C-alpha cells in the first residue's frame, strides 16, 4: 500500500467516524429534548387537572341555588356545596397522584440535567396555589349563599349567575397564577431545548437549575 493510499484510507476513516459521532450526538440530543418536553407536559397536565375543578362544580352550582331559593334552605345549600367541593378536590388529588408528577424531573438526571431545585419549587407553588384558591372560593361561595336575599322572580337563576361569576373569576386567576408559578421551570426547560446539541450534552454543569 502506498503512502498516498494510506493517507486517503485514514482520511476516509476519520470522516466516517466524525459522521457517526454527529449522528450519535443528534440522537442523544433529540432524546434529551424529548425528555425535557415530557417533564413540562407532565406539569401542564397536572395544571389542567387542577383547573378541571371549576368545571366539576358547575352542576353543583345549579343545585345549590335551587336548594337555597326554591327550598328556602340556604344553610343546607351551603352544606351541600361544601360536600361537593371536598369530594371533587379529593377526586382530583387522586388523579394527580397517579401522574407521579412530583418525581417526573428525575428522568432528566439520566441525561445529566439537574432540574430538581426549579422543578420542586414550581410544584410547591402549584400545590399552595390550589389550596389557597380552594379555601378562598369556598369562603366566597358560603358568604354569597348565606347572605343572598331573594327579591322578585327568577331569583334561582340570579344566584346561579352570581356563583358562576365568582367561580369564573377564581378560575381565571388560578390560570394566571399557574403561569407565574411555573415561569422559572418553563424558562429553564425552553432554554435547554433551544440550546445546541453539544452544549446540551457536554456542558451539564451549565444546565443545572439554580
Amino acid at each position: 500500500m502506498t503512502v498516498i493510499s494510506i493517507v486517503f484510507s485514514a482520511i476516509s476513516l476519520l470522516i466516517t467516524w466524525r459522521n457517526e459521532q454527529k449522528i450519535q450526538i443528534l440522537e442523544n440530543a433529540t432524546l434529551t429534548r424529548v425528555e425535557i418536553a415530557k417533564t413540562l407536559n407532565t406539569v401542564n397536565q397536572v395544571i389542567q387537572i387542577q383547573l378541571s375543578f371549576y368545571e366539576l362544580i358547575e352542576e353543583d352550582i345549579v343545585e345549590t341555588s335551587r336548594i337555597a331559593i326554591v327550598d328556602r334552605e340556604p344553610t343546607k345549600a351551603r352544606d351541600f356545596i361544601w360536600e361537593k367541593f371536598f369530594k371533587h378536590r379529593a377526586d382530583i388529588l387522586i388523579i394527580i397522584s397517579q401522574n407521579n408528577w412530583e418525581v417526573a424531573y428525575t428522568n432528566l438526571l439520566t441525561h445529566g440535567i439537574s432540574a430538581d431545585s426549579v422543578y420542586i419549587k414550581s410544584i410547591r407553588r402549584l400545590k399552595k396555589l390550589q389550596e389557597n384558591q380552594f379555601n378562598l372560593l369556598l369562603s366566597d361561595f358560603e358568604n354569597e349563599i348565606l347572605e343572598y336575599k331573594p327579591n322578585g322572580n327568577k331569583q334561582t337563576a340570579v344566584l346561579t349567575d352570581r356563583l358562576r361569576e365568582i367561580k369564573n373569576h377564581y378560575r381565571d386567576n388560578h390560570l394566571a397564577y399557574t403561569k407565574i408559578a411555573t415561569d422559572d421551570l418553563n424558562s429553564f426547560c425552553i432554554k435547554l431545548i433551544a440550546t445546541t446539541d453539544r452544549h446540551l450534552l457536554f456542558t451539564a454543569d451549565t444546565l443545572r437549575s439554580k
Side-chain angles (χ1 to χ4, degrees):
M1 181 178 292
T2 64
V3 174
I4 295 177
S5 61
I6 292 175
V7 171
F8 276 112
S9 178
I11 292 173
S12 177
L13 288 173
L14 180 60
I15 292 174
T16 299
W17 176 79
R18 286 183 175 177
N19 287 337
E20 291 177 350
Q21 187 183 48
K22 288 180 180 180
I23 292 173
Q24 189 63 50
I25 290 173
L26 176 60
E27 291 178 350
N28 291 339
T30 299
L31 290 174
T32 301
R33 289 189 176 94
V34 168
E35 204 59 56
I36 294 170
K38 285 182 179 179
T39 301
L40 271 183
N41 187 55
T42 297
V43 174
N44 288 329
Q45 285 180 340
V46 169
I47 290 173
Q48 293 307 312
I49 294 171
Q50 290 179 335
L51 291 174
S52 69
F53 173 82
Y54 300 96
E55 303 307 319
L56 292 174
I57 65 174
E58 176 61 31
E59 291 185 7
D60 303 327
I61 288 175
V62 176
E63 181 61 14
T64 297
S65 299
R66 188 196 66 77
I67 295 172
I69 304 302
V70 178
D71 295 349
R72 298 182 180 181
E73 295 190 68
T75 301
K76 184 178 179 181
R78 186 273 314 273
D79 294 343
F80 172 81
I81 199 66
W82 270 36
E83 179 183 351
K84 292 299 183 179
F85 264 50
F86 282 97
K87 179 183 182 303
H88 294 320
R89 184 176 69 167
D91 291 341
I92 285 175
L93 290 175
I94 290 174
I95 296 173
I96 289 176
S97 68
Q98 296 171 345
N99 281 54
N100 295 320
W101 75 310
E102 295 192 42
V103 294
Y105 70 90
T106 58
N107 292 329
L108 296 178
L109 295 176
T110 60
H111 298 276
I113 299 172
S114 177
D116 53 336
S117 177
V118 67
Y119 191 91
I120 291 172
K121 285 180 181 177
S122 294
I123 287 179
R124 287 174 179 169
R125 290 169 186 158
L126 289 173
K127 284 183 175 181
K128 187 66 175 177
L129 172 60
Q130 182 185 26
E131 186 68 19
N132 288 343
Q133 290 289 110
F134 177 86
N135 291 332
L136 291 172
L137 179 61
L138 184 60
S139 177
D140 279 1
F141 262 43
E142 177 182 5
N143 292 336
E144 187 66 37
I145 293 166
L146 296 180
E147 295 176 6
Y148 181 73
K149 304 299 182 184
N151 182 20
N153 298 325
K154 299 182 179 180
Q155 291 305 297
T156 303
V158 173
L159 178 58
T160 298
D161 289 343
R162 290 174 69 164
L163 292 176
R164 279 177 177 157
E165 184 177 342
I166 294 172
K167 178 204 71 173
N168 291 335
H169 170 74
Y170 274 93
R171 188 190 186 285
D172 291 343
N173 282 348
H174 197 156
L175 178 59
Y177 290 142
T178 61
K179 294 178 181 179
I180 297 173
T182 58
D183 183 62
D184 291 345
L185 178 62
N186 284 324
S187 297
F188 176 73
C189 290
I190 291 173
K191 182 179 179 180
L192 290 181
I193 292 173
T195 195
T196 64
D197 293 347
R198 286 185 173 277
H199 185 71
L200 183 61
L201 298 177
F202 302 122
T203 53
D205 287 341
T206 66
L207 303 180
R208 298 182 181 276
S209 59
K210 299 179 181 179

